[in-house]
Amino acid sequence: MDTTFPSESLIVQDWLHTPEGTDVLRTITVNNGSRLRSYGLLERPNLPPGCLLEDVHYKMIVVGKCSVGKTSTIAHLCGRPIPDIHSETAGIQTNKMYWPVKITHLNKRVLMNLTFWDTGEISGKKFDHILPACKAGLDGILYLFSFIDKSSWEELPHLIARFTDPGDKLAKIVIGTKFDQYAHSEVSQRELRSFESRWQTPVLKISNVPNSDDGNNLNDIIPIMNCICEHLWQRDVFKEERK
């Protein structure tokens, strides 16, 4: 899976495969480590004895054209069941997850506390308070498109303009869904490379397959979550340097 990291990675990319990282990961997974454990808004992982990880909180909004798979992607990343039918998200829904990383330049372990905000397209247009609520205190944005829906890809520049402002320094990442149907893709590799170069934003790929034991395991999301956390931490470092 392709990911785009800064020239010098700020997190240790293979740390979760070390004995130390594996011990931490085991506490936040189920099904023999194949899937992340689901957490409520007030819950926190029970880490191994003597393992102290600093909590760092981030708020992210997930945006994209209707039916591209925003809710399914959040469910996949958070270890929740992937819905097998599409239904419009009513109002605002939030999902919480934890992801452990090791910071390269600080040589310390951090537990990323991520809250994903999801809102339906109809609700966002109908209620004026939806967009301001989603953007308040925002740290990053996941822009989603479907590989088999060219119009969702073409809408990305409009979404970027709508949800960001010049100089806001938000972490921005694009995820292409339905990658399991890539044989029918309407978006070329050349277009992906051109977009990454122009917008300086990584384009990741995900397959959200309902009721699948093979297609939604933890190894699928490790590079995606590492990339998300990398760009969130990079944003924090940049903010500190600008002070």
Side-chain angles (χ1 to χ4, degrees):
M1 181 174 298
D2 295 333
T3 54
T4 301
F5 295 108
S7 56
E8 294 185 4
S9 186
L10 300 180
I11 67 174
V12 181
Q13 297 300 323
D14 61 351
W15 177 66
L16 291 176
H17 297 293
T18 67
E20 180 186 48
T22 300
D23 285 344
V24 176
L25 196 59
R26 189 178 296 117
T27 65
I28 63 171
T29 56
V30 293
N31 296 344
N32 295 319
S34 65
R35 192 183 300 270
L36 284 180
R37 186 184 302 274
S38 298
Y39 291 95
L41 293 178
L42 300 179
E43 293 181 304
R44 189 184 188 279
N46 293 317
L47 298 175
C51 181
L52 300 177
L53 274 71
E54 176 186 348
D55 268 22
V56 183
H57 295 252
Y58 293 105
K59 173 184 176 180
M60 302 199 73
I61 183 175
V62 182
V63 301
K65 183 183 175 184
C66 182
S67 301
V68 297
K70 297 185 293 294
T71 300
S72 294
T73 297
I74 294 174
H76 191 171
L77 296 179
C78 294
R80 302 180 185 276
I82 296 174
D84 54 6
I85 59 173
H86 171 262
S87 60
E88 175 76 11
T89 300
I92 299 174
Q93 293 187 6
T94 61
N95 288 271
K96 181 177 181 178
M97 70 168 296
Y98 290 92
W99 192 256
V101 297
K102 187 172 184 179
I103 308 302
T104 303
H105 63 291
L106 299 178
N107 194 32
K108 74 172 183 178
R109 299 158 300 177
V110 171
L111 190 62
M112 299 284 196
N113 184 337
L114 307 175
T115 303
F116 293 105
W117 286 51
D118 177 24
T119 180
E121 187 175 14
I122 295 177
S123 297
K125 293 179 179 179
K126 184 176 181 180
F127 301 106
D128 293 337
H129 70 280
I130 295 286
L131 182 57
C134 290
K135 294 178 69 173
L138 193 61
D139 299 298
I141 304 178
L142 298 183
Y143 299 97
L144 267 60
F145 74 95
S146 168
F147 275 102
I148 59 174
D149 181 356
K150 187 62 175 286
S151 64
S152 68
W153 166 258
E154 294 172 340
E155 191 175 350
L156 288 178
H158 167 72
L159 289 173
I160 293 174
R162 180 186 178 197
F163 284 91
T164 60
D165 300 310
D168 59 19
K169 305 307 177 186
L170 295 174
K172 306 177 184 72
I173 295 171
V174 174
I175 299 180
T177 65
K178 304 181 182 179
F179 190 59
D180 53 304
Q181 303 178 49
Y182 189 70
H184 306 287
S185 175
E186 299 179 359
V187 183
S188 68
Q189 286 293 325
R190 181 178 180 180
E191 288 174 304
L192 295 177
R193 290 192 297 268
S194 176
F195 181 93
E196 288 184 325
S197 176
R198 176 184 176 186
W199 295 95
Q200 292 297 295
T201 301
V203 179
L204 311 182
K205 309 173 183 70
I206 195 169
S207 301
N208 302 317
V209 184
N211 305 315
S212 172
D213 293 329
D214 298 324
N216 302 316
N217 61 45
L218 188 63
N219 288 329
D220 293 334
I221 70 168
I222 286 178
I224 295 177
M225 290 310 307
N226 278 347
C227 185
I228 291 173
C229 292
E230 174 87 14
H231 283 78
L232 286 168
W233 192 263
Q234 182 188 32
R235 167 187 177 268
D236 287 353
V237 170
F238 183 81
K239 286 175 62 178
E240 288 296 321
E241 291 175 347
R242 292 291 298 270
K243 288 183 178 179

